Amino acid sequence: MENWVIKIKEAAEYIKGRINENIPEIGVILGSGLGRLADTIENPTVIPYSEIPNFPMSTAIGHKGNFIFGNLGGKYVCAMQGRFHYYEGHEMHQVTLPVRVMILLGIKYLFVSNAAGGVNPAFKVGDIMLISDHINMLRNPLIGRNLDDFGPRFPDMTRPYDRKLIRKAEEIAHNLGINIHKGVYFASSGPSYETPAEYKFYRLIGADAVGMSTIPEVIVARHSDVPVFGVSIITNEAHDFSDDEYVNDGEDVIKAADEASEKMILLFRSLITTL
C-alpha cells in the first residue's frame, strides 16, 4: 500500500503540471451517458486517462475517459468524463484512484452521478433522485492496510451524503421547476443486470435506485472527510415486469441518461455556484 500512495502522488503531480498548479475546488464524477456536463466547462484542459501515470483505462459504454479541468458555476473544477468500475476487472484501489488524486489536488467537495434503475414504483425514466444514503454490496475500497495519510482506519458513514448540500439542491430544484426525488442508492457488482427477483429484494430492503458504481468513490471521499453530493438519473423502471417483452439494454440506458442530463447539468451548475 505504501507503493500505491506513491502512485497516487505521481498521478497528482503529473496533473498539477498540466493545470499550472491551479487548485480545483470541486470534483465531479460523471456516470454513464452523463458526460455532457463536461462539455459545458469553460476554458477546459482535457487530460485523457491514458496520459496520466498509473491510471487504468475506462471501457464502459458511455464513458469517454478524460479528466477535464476548468470553470463551472464560477468555480475551478475537475470532472471525470467517465469512471472506472469494479466489473471492468479493476481492483478497488484502481476504481477509487481518481478520487484520491482529486483529494491531493485540493478538492473541497465531491459531486457524483450515475445512471440507475428505479426500483421505487414512483420513479419514471428521466427522473432525478438525490442520493440520501446507500446500501453497498460491492467490495469496500478501504479493505486492506489503511492509508493513514488520507483518513482513519474506521471512518464514520452516518452521513455519507451531505445534508446541507441536499437541502440546497432541493431548494434550487424547486426554484428551477425541476421535479426531483430523494432516496437510497443500492450498488451491486454487475455487469449483468439484476433479475426481477433481485430488484424486488433490493426494494424490500430499502433501495429506491440500483446501479453498479458510485459507492466506492463516496466511501473514499468520506474517508478523507470530503463532503459528497450525489445524483442518480433513472434510466429504466425496474419495478414492473408484467410485459413479457421487457429487457434491460445498455444502449437504452445511455439514451435515457443523455436525454435527462440537461436537468442534472442545470442542477449541478446552480449548486456549485452557491459554494
Side-chain angles (χ1 to χ4, degrees):
M1 294 306 288
E2 291 172 350
N3 289 337
W4 189 243
V5 172
I6 292 173
K7 291 180 182 295
I8 296 169
K9 291 179 178 178
E10 287 175 347
E13 287 302 314
Y14 173 82
I15 293 171
K16 285 180 182 178
R18 293 286 300 272
I19 60 175
N20 300 317
E21 302 293 330
N22 286 315
I23 299 175
E25 296 182 57
I26 297 142
V28 183
I29 301 177
L30 301 169
S32 300
L34 300 172
R36 286 171 57 189
L37 182 143
D39 297 332
T40 70
I41 293 176
E42 299 172 352
N43 304 313
T45 298
V46 180
I47 308 176
Y49 297 155
S50 60
E51 298 180 4
I52 303 174
N54 310 314
F55 260 55
M57 293 296 293
S58 179
T59 65
I61 299 172
H63 292 251
K64 290 187 176 181
N66 295 317
F67 240 146
I68 301 181
F69 294 80
N71 298 306
L72 182 69
K75 304 291 191 302
Y76 191 73
V77 306
C78 57
M80 288 183 68
Q81 198 174 27
R83 57 156 51 92
F84 307 119
H85 301 80
Y86 190 52
Y87 66 70
E88 294 175 85
H90 301 308
E91 297 296 335
M92 275 301 173
H93 64 274
Q94 295 174 304
V95 171
T96 57
L97 169 62
V99 178
R100 299 283 197 201
V101 169
M102 287 191 282
I103 289 167
L104 289 185
L105 292 175
I107 63 166
K108 304 302 181 187
Y109 300 93
L110 179 68
F111 283 35
V112 296
S113 65
N114 58 59
V119 295
N120 187 319
F123 292 1
K124 305 298 181 186
V125 171
D127 283 354
I128 291 179
M129 184 190 83
L130 307 185
I131 306 175
S132 59
D133 205 341
H134 66 229
I135 299 171
N136 185 31
M137 291 299 289
L138 290 166
R139 179 180 172 86
N140 192 300
L142 303 183
I143 290 174
R145 183 174 178 178
N146 185 56
L147 302 186
D148 296 328
D149 291 348
F150 288 91
R153 169 77 283 186
F154 300 107
D156 177 54
M157 292 295 289
T158 308
R159 289 170 292 278
Y161 302 89
D162 191 83
R163 294 177 183 175
K164 291 181 180 179
L165 292 177
I166 291 172
R167 287 195 291 269
K168 282 185 179 181
E170 289 177 309
E171 181 179 347
I172 289 167
H174 175 76
N175 291 337
L176 294 175
I178 299 174
N179 182 45
I180 58 171
H181 300 284
K182 188 165 61 175
V184 175
Y185 175 78
F186 179 103
S188 62
S189 68
S192 57
Y193 287 109
E194 297 77 9
T195 69
E198 287 170 333
Y199 280 132
K200 182 178 180 181
F201 171 62
Y202 300 155
R203 184 170 71 247
L204 288 172
I205 64 172
D208 294 291
V210 175
M212 305 173 190
S213 67
T214 303
I215 294 177
E217 297 142 331
V218 172
I219 291 173
V220 164
R222 296 303 301 137
H223 184 228
S224 294
D225 203 29
V226 173
V228 175
F229 175 71
V231 165
S232 291
I233 302 295
I234 305 304
T235 51
N236 56 300
E237 297 172 22
H239 48 73
D240 181 8
F241 302 96
S242 58
D243 181 358
D244 288 342
E245 302 301 317
Y246 177 87
V247 294
N248 276 316
D249 181 86
E251 295 295 341
D252 289 343
V253 167
I254 300 303
K255 183 175 183 292
D258 184 66
E259 290 175 353
S261 63
E262 287 302 322
K263 292 185 291 185
M264 190 200 77
I265 291 170
L266 185 57
L267 182 62
F268 270 31
R269 184 193 295 120
S270 299
L271 182 56
I272 287 170
T273 301
T274 70
L275 300 178

